[in-house]
């Protein structure tokens, strides 16, 4: 980061104006895109886009959906963003799938406009993907406390990873932003499957994609509270739970109904020559 800033400062120091832009250089020569979901984010959308415009991104895809405020008008003031507008609310995940579908870049960052992230913090996700990860997750494990403090969503995220033999991923999930995907990941998972992030994660794990941590940004602290994402059994929590059940169902059909969990009782019964009716096998 220090070397990058020194390069930018030195490059522009010879200009007559002496003005040094607040640029952030990417740690890769690959093409990088960002897909941003927007729904009634007039208070934060420009902060999100401005941070992205500090980087030499190949594409900035902004998906404005179901907005009744000035989000669309403000997004259109960007000279670099490609705006996709839908009158109806798509939900964050469907919008990400659509954005991923139209990108052509080698690395794609996924963000939500209600959680502005500094360009400097996004570099680690790009770097991790450039160095070999197909899926670079946001590491939130340090912000959820001990197991007894976890809510049902956090437990379900951990169970999905554990069931797919990736205990090391802990509670981290493609449900959370920011995260980054390689072009290979988008092609193998399928952009349509990104509409259900836990299922996309299960597909990535089952098909051997390289998944790990790209950075650690406390989005819990930044996330804006809405009437549909607070309180017990709120609509967002119910949606996420349903998505994880769909992901587990897919993985069970793909591998086995028990996933990594061996049926030790059945093994003992077969070893003893006992069938399901507890009679000796003939």
């Amino acid at each position: 980061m220090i070397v990058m800033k020194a390069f930018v400062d030195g490059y522009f120091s010879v200009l007559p104006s002496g003005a040094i832009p607040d640029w952030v250089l990417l740690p890769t020569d690959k093409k990088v895109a960002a897909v941003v979901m927007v729904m009634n984010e007039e208070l934060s959308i420009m902060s999100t886009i401005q941070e992205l415009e500090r980087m030499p991104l190949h594409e900035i895809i902004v998906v404005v959906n179901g907005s009744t405020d000035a989000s669309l008008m403000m997004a259109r003031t960007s000279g670099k963003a490609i705006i996709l507008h839908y009158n109806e609310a798509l939900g964050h995940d469907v919008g990400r799938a659509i954005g991923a579908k139209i990108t052509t870049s080698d690395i794609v960052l996924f963000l939500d406009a209600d959680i502005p992230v500094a360009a400097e913090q996004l570099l680690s996700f790009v770097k991790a993907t450039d160095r070999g990860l197909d899926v670079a997750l946001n590491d939130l494990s340090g912000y959820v406390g001990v197991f007894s403090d976890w809510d049902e969503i956090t437990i379900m995220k951990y169970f999905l990873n554990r069931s797919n033999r990736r205990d090391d991923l802990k509670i981290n999930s493609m449900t959370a932003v920011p995260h980054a995907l390689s072009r290979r990941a988008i092609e193998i998972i399928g952009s349509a499957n990104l509409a259900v992030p836990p299922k996309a994660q299960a597909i990535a794990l089952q098909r051997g994609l390289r998944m790990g941590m790209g950075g650690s940004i406390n989005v819990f602290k930044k996330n804006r509270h809405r009437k549909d994402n607070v309180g017990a059994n709120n609509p967002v929590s119910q949606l996420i739970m349903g998505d994880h059940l769909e992901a587990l169902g897919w993985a069970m059909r793909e591998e086995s109904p028990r996933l990594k969990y061996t049926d030790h009782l059945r093994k003992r019964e077969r070893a003893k020559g006992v069938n399901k009716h507890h009679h000796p096998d003939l």
Side-chain angles (χ1 to χ4, degrees):
M1 192 72 67
I2 296 174
V3 173
M4 176 196 70
K5 188 176 186 309
F7 175 84
V8 173
D9 290 350
Y11 182 86
F12 285 96
S13 63
V14 298
L15 296 181
S17 66
I20 299 176
D22 192 19
W23 286 0
V24 174
L25 304 182
L26 295 173
T28 179
D29 58 359
K30 296 177 181 176
K31 293 179 179 178
V32 181
V35 173
V36 184
M37 283 305 303
V38 182
M39 183 174 141
N40 291 332
E41 307 297 353
E42 63 181 5
L43 298 179
S44 56
I45 182 172
M46 290 314 300
S47 295
T48 300
I49 293 176
Q50 286 165 3
E51 287 298 322
L52 295 175
E53 289 180 341
R54 294 176 61 207
M55 298 181 286
L57 297 178
H58 180 63
E59 302 161 305
I60 301 175
I61 312 296
V62 179
V63 185
V64 182
N65 69 110
S67 290
T68 56
D69 64 0
S71 293
L72 176 60
M73 180 183 68
M74 299 182 74
R76 282 176 170 167
T77 64
S78 169
K80 298 181 180 180
I82 300 169
I83 313 298
L84 305 180
H85 177 233
Y86 297 86
N87 288 324
E88 66 275 19
L90 303 176
H92 288 309
D93 304 326
V94 174
R96 288 177 202 154
I98 293 172
K101 177 71 175 178
I102 72 167
T103 59
T104 61
S105 297
D106 304 305
I107 298 171
V108 182
L109 289 161
F110 294 86
L111 305 96
D112 292 344
D114 61 340
I115 309 175
V117 179
E120 289 86 352
Q121 291 181 292
L122 295 172
L123 295 183
S124 61
F125 294 87
V126 175
K127 184 177 181 179
T129 310
D130 179 61
R131 292 191 171 185
L133 286 185
D134 293 303
V135 182
L137 301 173
N138 185 12
D139 186 3
L140 299 175
S141 55
Y143 306 115
V144 295
V146 297
F147 182 82
S148 59
D149 295 331
W150 293 2
D151 59 19
E152 63 272 16
I153 299 298
T154 304
I155 293 171
M156 185 62 85
K157 290 177 179 177
Y158 177 66
F159 183 70
L160 178 64
N161 290 331
R162 187 178 176 88
S163 298
N164 284 278
R165 299 173 177 82
R166 287 300 304 271
D167 301 48
D168 59 297
L169 296 178
K170 301 179 182 178
I171 56 90
N172 297 302
S173 169
M174 289 175 65
T175 300
V177 290
H179 61 262
L181 299 180
S182 68
R183 175 55 48 187
R184 176 171 178 259
I186 293 173
E187 292 174 352
I188 290 177
I189 295 170
S191 55
N193 287 319
L194 296 177
V196 185
K199 180 181 178 182
Q201 184 154 336
I203 293 171
L205 294 173
Q206 288 282 339
R207 295 183 180 168
L209 291 177
R210 293 160 293 193
M211 185 179 299
M213 303 308 148
S216 182
I217 299 172
N218 188 355
V219 293
F220 297 126
K221 185 176 181 180
K222 297 182 178 183
N223 195 15
R224 184 156 64 93
H225 288 176
R226 308 168 186 266
K227 63 180 180 181
D228 63 347
N229 70 356
V230 295
N233 297 318
N234 64 74
V236 172
S237 293
Q238 292 177 9
L239 174 65
I240 296 174
M241 285 294 287
D243 286 351
H244 278 80
L245 292 174
E246 182 176 345
L248 287 168
W250 181 89
M252 291 165 69
R253 291 190 297 272
E254 187 76 5
E255 182 179 351
S256 77
R258 299 189 66 84
L259 295 175
K260 78 161 191 175
Y261 298 100
T262 305
D263 188 347
H264 297 291
L265 177 60
R266 291 293 297 276
K267 278 188 174 181
R268 288 198 300 270
E269 289 177 346
R270 285 193 293 271
K272 293 177 182 178
V274 177
N275 61 25
K276 66 179 180 179
H277 300 293
H278 302 285
H279 296 303
D281 291 326
L282 298 177

